[in-house]
């Protein structure tokens, strides 16, 4: 059979790099090379010299183990990825890690590898494009007008997140989302027909996708024709089912699981070179192939044409153009910080006993009025999470002109799609669910942290305070395990003032995600000075102090901070010198300098107690082995919240008793 020489360049680079690394996945790049050639040489609008050009098409390799496919494409088309980088595939410090990593590799739009999340990221990107177009495009000025393309495999479609995300994409009618499915029927364990018997085409038709079947996905002309059909349907996302052969071109390993996750071997590579007609040594690409792939000149022209359009747009709509630039640059409106600081100070002067979920909604009302880039949502819990604010307008099927997404009961897809929205640019997404269901979203939260992107997660119903719903809905270990995620800031505020400061910090953060853990039950507002309100932003601060060196420090967080406050009052009345430290965000506190941390938690004071209605383990780093933690290392029960707090010892009198045990 005849092989496409441009696709063969991908095959050669992929099998050579995997062989040199003695590690990797050659089968998928060999099998998808023709799909990639059809898309990247025929349709993809991008500029290799400016990977952040706003109106570029987005490309997501959801089956990220096929990373040599995208590295080959980036190298061949002219991105800042040299042949030496290709040779360093999977090596320490290289620009070609084992799976594509956002921020590490120019041209990689999102980190992929955990199967299924890439297609969910792509759904988020396509949704962002559609909403941004509604907000900024004007007649004759389609400054936001691009496609989102995703490659995915059998593994992505087995993962449940693909059902969640693709169902929503079809419901919303995201017509500029085009997914190319590498249907090769092989995974690590062998032939997937033994465990994956879905009729994928019918499944996606039921999701309201256009489904296009490509009988031979190793024929780039057939793939090109399918992409044209996909682009013609403006009302539905498209799934192009490309029937391919894994390891295509390998005489002995093509079509077999043996090509999936291990080098082909020198002998098989030699046979593959002969079979596909590739007469060049390892890592050598002939000049005419480079020339045929190079997208630098075309990319510069595309961006230049867009720049000319944008200049005219800016002349006609200067305010919109300035706003577009600000949002795509990820910059906050001028003066936001001082306004937010004043908002918190004003709340302190107007005490209110409210649930922090309600305080969170009040903060969203404040920020929503100033941040048109806010795009919110909830996993079918908007009335409970209180994530809708006064500026919220619901997004509906084929009516993508709002800023609030009803994700349905799809926590994992919500989190991964929010990552895609943020990566697209122009938005600051936040999404809510009950804290207990953060478990469903956990791997996407981890990906936010890994990519260092400021996605915001709102988790309400934060403890046994959930009450009658009982232990299935009462989070015990969730807050602690969220705190274990590197680069994730977990805020658990104690009242409306701390909630406002927490939201300010989350909005202003640029180098990682945040989550906020909020109560269902009302919480009293605690006394603070103006300086103490400012100190909340440090993650931990002295809320109530004594004269001289304390005999005891009580550390509180969330709804239990008031217990610490009132326990300190009782102990003080008995002649003890007690300091109360509120720690709404341990991660932020830990980033403070040593002098500040010593001023809050002086080493000389060894008598320490922490209180939180959750597992106790993570508090011992603050109280030490000689300290005590009033927490909960068992599951809850079904009863009114006040009865549960008393049953499990979350009372002022019991906390006083615990404090006396360390004095």
């Amino acid at each position: 059979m005849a092989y496409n020489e441009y696709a063969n360049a991908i095959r050669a680079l992929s099998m050579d790099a995997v062989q040199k690394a003695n590690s990797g996945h050659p089968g998928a790049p060999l099998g998808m090379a023709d799909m990639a050639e059809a898309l990247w040489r025929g349709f993809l609008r991008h500029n290799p010299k400016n990977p952040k050009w706003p109106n570029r098409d987005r490309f997501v390799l959801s089956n990220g183990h096929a990373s040599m496919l995208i590295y080959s494409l980036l190298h061949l088309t002219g991105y800042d990825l040299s042949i030496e980088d290709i040779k360093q595939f999977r090596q320490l410090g290289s620009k070609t890690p084992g799976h594509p990593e956002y921020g590490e590799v120019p041209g990689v739009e999102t980190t992929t590898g955990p199967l299924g999340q890439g297609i969910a990221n792509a759904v988020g990107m396509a949704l962002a494009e559609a909403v941004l177009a509604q907000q900024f495009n004007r007649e004759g000025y389609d400054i936001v007008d691009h496609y989102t393309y995703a490659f995915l495999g059998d593994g992505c479609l087995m993962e449940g997140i693909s059902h969640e995300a693709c169902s929503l994409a079809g419901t919303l009618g995201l017509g500029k989302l085009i997914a190319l499915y590498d249907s090769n029927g092989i995974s690590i364990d062998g032939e997937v027909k033994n465990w994956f018997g879905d009729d994928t085409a019918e499944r996606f038709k039921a999701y309201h996708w256009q489904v296009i079947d490509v009988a031979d996905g190793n024929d780039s002309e057939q793939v090109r024709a399918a992409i044209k059909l996909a682009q013609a349907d403006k009302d539905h996302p498209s799934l192009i089912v490309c029937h391919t052969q894994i390891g295509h071109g390998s005489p002995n390993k093509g079509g077999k699981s043996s090509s999936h996750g291990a080098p082909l071997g020198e002998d098989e590579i030699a046979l593959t070179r002969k079979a596909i007609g590739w007469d060049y040594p390892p890592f050598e690409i002939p000049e005419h192939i480079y020339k045929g792939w190079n997208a630098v000149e075309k990319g510069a022209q595309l961006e230049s044409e867009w720049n000319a359009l944008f200049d005219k747009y800016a002349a006609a709509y200067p305010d919109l153009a300035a706003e577009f630039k600000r949002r795509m640059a990820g910059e906050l409106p001028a003066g936001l910080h001082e306004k937010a600081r004043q908002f918190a100070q004003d709340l302190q002067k107007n005490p209110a006993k409210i649930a922090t979920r309600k305080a969170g909604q009040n903060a969203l009302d404040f920020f929503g009025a100033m941040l048109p880039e806010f795009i919110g949502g909830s996993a079918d819990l908007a009335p409970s999470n209180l994530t809708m604010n006064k500026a919220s307008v619901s997004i509906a099927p084929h009516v993508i002109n709002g800023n609030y997404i009803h994700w349905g009961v799809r926590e994992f897809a919500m989190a991964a799609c929010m990552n895609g929205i943020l990566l697209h640019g122009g938005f600051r997404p936040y999404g809510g669910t009950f804290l207990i269901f953060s478990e469903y979203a956990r791997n996407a939260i981890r990906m936010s942290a890994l990519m260092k992107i400021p996605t915001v997660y709102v988790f309400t119903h934060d403890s046994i305070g959930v009450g009658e719903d009982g232990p299935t809905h009462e989070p015990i270990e969730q807050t602690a395990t969220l705190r274990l995620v590197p680069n994730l800031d977990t805020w658990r505020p104690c009242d409306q003032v701390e909630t406002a400061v927490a939201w300010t910090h989350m909005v202003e953060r640029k180098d990682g995600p945040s989550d906020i853990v909020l109560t269902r039950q009302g919480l009293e507002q605690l006394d603070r000075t103006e300086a103490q309100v400012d100190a909340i932003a440090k993650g931990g601060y002295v809320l109530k102090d004594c004269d001289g060196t304390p005999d005891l420090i009580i550390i509180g967080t969330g709804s239990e901070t008031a217990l610490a406050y009132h326990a300190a009052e009782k102990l003080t009345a008995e002649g003890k010198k007690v300091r109360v430290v509120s720690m709404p965000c341990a991660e932020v506190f830990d980033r403070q300098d040593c002098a500040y941390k010593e001023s809050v938690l002086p080493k000389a004071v060894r008598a320490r107690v922490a209180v939180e209605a959750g597992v106790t383990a993570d508090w011992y780093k603050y109280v030490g082995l000689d300290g005590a933690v009033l927490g909960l290392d068992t599951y809850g029960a079904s009863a009114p919240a006040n009865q549960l707090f008393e049953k499990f010892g979350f009372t002022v009198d019991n906390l006083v008793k615990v404090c006396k045990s360390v004095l």
Side-chain angles (χ1 to χ4, degrees):
M1 65 173 295
Y3 287 84
N4 182 316
E5 64 176 348
Y6 294 108
N8 281 345
I10 297 172
R11 294 188 175 96
L13 288 174
S14 297
M15 63 185 181
D16 289 343
V18 170
Q19 187 65 35
K20 185 175 185 297
N22 197 30
S23 172
H25 301 76
L30 268 66
M32 291 192 291
D34 299 291
M35 295 162 54
E37 190 276 332
L39 174 63
W40 279 64
R41 292 188 69 243
F43 299 92
L44 197 73
R45 295 168 58 87
H46 61 121
N47 183 1
K49 296 306 179 186
N50 183 11
K52 294 298 184 181
W53 171 39
N55 202 44
R56 69 193 181 279
D57 290 337
R58 272 57 169 181
F59 174 77
V60 175
L61 183 67
S62 188
N63 42 349
H65 58 271
S67 56
M68 268 312 305
L69 177 84
I70 193 168
Y71 297 154
S72 298
L73 289 165
L74 295 171
H75 169 69
L76 291 167
T77 54
Y79 284 79
D80 184 18
L81 202 68
S82 69
I83 197 67
E84 292 303 316
D85 293 321
I86 299 293
K87 291 178 181 178
Q88 292 302 306
F89 178 57
R90 289 189 161 222
Q91 303 310 298
L92 182 64
S94 76
K95 291 164 70 174
T96 48
H99 289 78
E101 293 186 24
Y102 172 78
E104 301 296 326
V105 188
V108 168
E109 300 282 3
T110 180
T111 299
T112 55
L115 294 178
Q117 284 199 62
I119 183 60
N121 294 163
V123 171
M125 292 175 186
L127 179 54
E129 190 275 343
V131 177
L132 204 67
Q134 289 287 335
Q135 293 181 355
F136 285 98
N137 287 356
R138 296 294 182 268
E139 186 175 354
Y141 297 104
D142 289 342
I143 62 164
V144 181
D145 183 16
H146 54 265
Y147 286 92
T148 300
Y149 298 98
F151 279 14
L152 66 159
D154 295 300
C156 293
L157 293 178
M158 284 186 248
E159 288 286 358
I161 189 173
S162 72
H163 299 252
E164 295 182 26
C166 294
S167 168
L168 181 65
T171 299
L172 293 177
L174 300 179
K176 296 175 85 171
L177 172 62
I178 299 175
L180 289 88
Y181 166 31
D182 175 35
S183 179
N184 61 43
I186 297 292
S187 67
I188 294 175
D189 282 358
E191 296 185 21
V192 301
K193 65 182 181 182
N194 294 311
W195 49 85
F196 183 49
D198 301 18
D199 188 331
T200 299
E202 291 302 314
R203 170 184 151 192
F204 273 77
K205 288 176 184 176
Y207 291 158
H208 310 293
W209 285 55
Q210 174 186 211
V211 178
I212 303 165
D213 192 79
V214 175
D216 184 359
N218 296 120
D219 181 343
S220 59
E221 290 306 316
Q222 290 187 35
V223 178
R224 279 187 174 84
I227 295 172
K228 288 180 181 178
L229 287 175
Q231 290 183 337
D233 189 335
K234 307 298 184 185
D235 298 321
H236 306 89
S238 294
L239 179 73
I240 301 174
V241 182
C242 300
H243 299 277
T244 64
Q245 181 190 51
I246 191 171
H248 188 61
S250 172
N252 298 305
K253 296 187 177 183
K256 299 177 181 178
S257 61
S258 57
S259 71
H260 172 86
L264 296 180
E266 296 289 359
D267 291 343
E268 186 65 16
I269 286 176
L271 291 173
T272 303
R273 274 185 155 76
K274 183 176 181 181
I276 66 176
W278 188 260
D279 299 324
Y280 310 100
F283 301 106
E284 182 177 312
I285 305 295
E287 202 56 42
H288 75 280
I289 299 292
Y290 271 129
K291 185 176 180 180
W293 268 110
N294 193 296
V296 171
E297 184 177 342
K298 181 181 178 183
Q301 179 183 347
L302 290 170
E303 183 172 356
S304 178
E305 291 170 355
W306 182 84
N307 287 338
L309 176 66
F310 189 84
D311 288 343
K312 294 178 182 177
Y313 175 80
Y317 305 99
D319 292 343
L320 276 176
E323 180 72 356
F324 181 82
K325 286 183 175 180
R326 179 189 71 79
R327 286 174 54 175
M328 292 305 290
E331 298 173 355
L332 293 173
L336 178 71
H337 180 80
E338 283 306 312
K339 290 177 183 176
R341 178 185 179 276
Q342 191 60 53
F343 173 63
Q345 294 288 352
D346 290 344
L347 288 175
Q348 186 64 50
K349 297 171 186 174
N350 296 280
K353 183 178 180 178
I354 59 175
T356 50
R357 63 170 174 166
K358 179 57 180 175
Q361 186 177 48
N362 293 340
L364 283 171
D365 286 341
F366 171 79
F367 285 107
M370 292 187 291
L371 294 172
E373 58 263 50
F374 251 15
I375 186 165
S378 174
D380 200 47
L381 290 169
S384 295
N385 295 148
L386 302 184
T387 41
M388 295 190 82
N389 64 76
K390 292 176 181 177
S392 294
V393 176
S394 295
I395 289 170
H398 303 283
V399 187
I400 315 295
N401 59 355
N403 60 4
Y404 191 87
I405 307 158
H406 297 277
W407 294 103
V409 188
R410 300 182 178 101
E411 295 88 356
F412 194 3
M414 175 182 73
C417 289
M418 285 199 300
N419 286 341
I421 290 171
L422 196 143
L423 290 164
H424 176 278
F427 293 101
R428 287 299 306 273
Y430 66 89
T433 186
F434 290 168
L435 176 59
I436 193 70
F437 302 134
S438 65
E439 300 289 353
Y440 288 140
R442 181 62 59 99
N443 202 262
I445 297 170
R446 182 179 187 271
M447 296 301 286
S448 304
L450 180 63
M451 290 190 281
K452 303 176 183 177
I453 57 175
T455 313
V456 173
Y457 301 94
V458 179
F459 299 130
T460 68
H461 297 60
D462 73 334
S463 70
I464 54 174
V466 170
E468 292 87 346
D469 277 340
T472 63
H473 281 53
E474 291 167 1
I476 302 300
E477 74 277 22
Q478 280 66 37
T479 301
T481 55
L482 285 167
R483 291 184 182 126
L484 291 174
V485 179
N487 198 38
L488 172 68
D489 286 352
T490 295
W491 289 85
R492 189 167 182 253
C494 75
D495 61 14
Q496 65 168 351
V497 180
E498 286 193 355
T499 302
V501 175
W503 263 105
T504 301
H505 191 278
M506 295 190 300
V507 165
E508 292 182 339
R509 191 176 187 208
K510 292 186 177 182
D511 60 354
S514 305
D515 67 272
I516 189 165
V517 177
L518 304 171
T519 65
R520 176 193 186 192
Q521 72 275 19
L523 302 181
E524 67 175 289
Q525 182 169 313
L526 300 174
D527 293 333
R528 294 179 191 83
T529 65
E530 184 174 317
Q532 285 175 312
V533 174
D534 288 339
I536 295 169
K538 295 182 181 293
Y541 64 102
V542 178
L543 175 65
K544 181 179 177 61
D545 212 356
C546 58
D547 293 330
T549 302
D551 299 320
L552 170 73
I553 296 174
I554 310 176
I555 306 169
T557 184
S559 52
E560 290 69 63
T561 306
L563 289 181
Y565 193 93
H566 296 306
E569 289 179 327
K570 277 202 165 188
L571 290 164
T572 300
E574 296 177 11
K576 304 298 182 183
K577 293 192 291 184
V578 183
R579 170 179 291 184
V580 176
V581 171
S582 177
M583 194 171 291
C585 186
E587 297 79 16
V588 172
F589 177 75
D590 288 347
R591 292 200 294 269
Q592 304 306 312
D593 61 41
C594 293
Y596 178 77
K597 287 186 284 189
E598 173 66 17
S599 73
V600 175
L601 296 174
K603 296 182 180 68
V605 183
R606 298 181 62 84
R608 301 182 184 186
V609 173
V611 54
E612 182 173 51
V615 294
T616 60
D618 60 328
W619 287 106
Y620 284 98
K621 71 176 181 177
Y622 298 114
V623 303
L625 296 179
D626 297 328
V629 181
L630 174 55
L632 194 61
D633 289 316
T634 61
Y635 294 111
S638 179
N642 61 332
Q643 295 178 25
L644 292 176
F645 282 122
E646 185 168 352
K647 169 183 170 60
F648 290 106
F650 293 98
T651 65
V652 171
D653 288 344
N654 189 50
L655 180 55
V656 168
K657 181 180 177 181
V658 172
C659 290
K660 288 180 177 179
S661 73
V662 301
L663 284 170

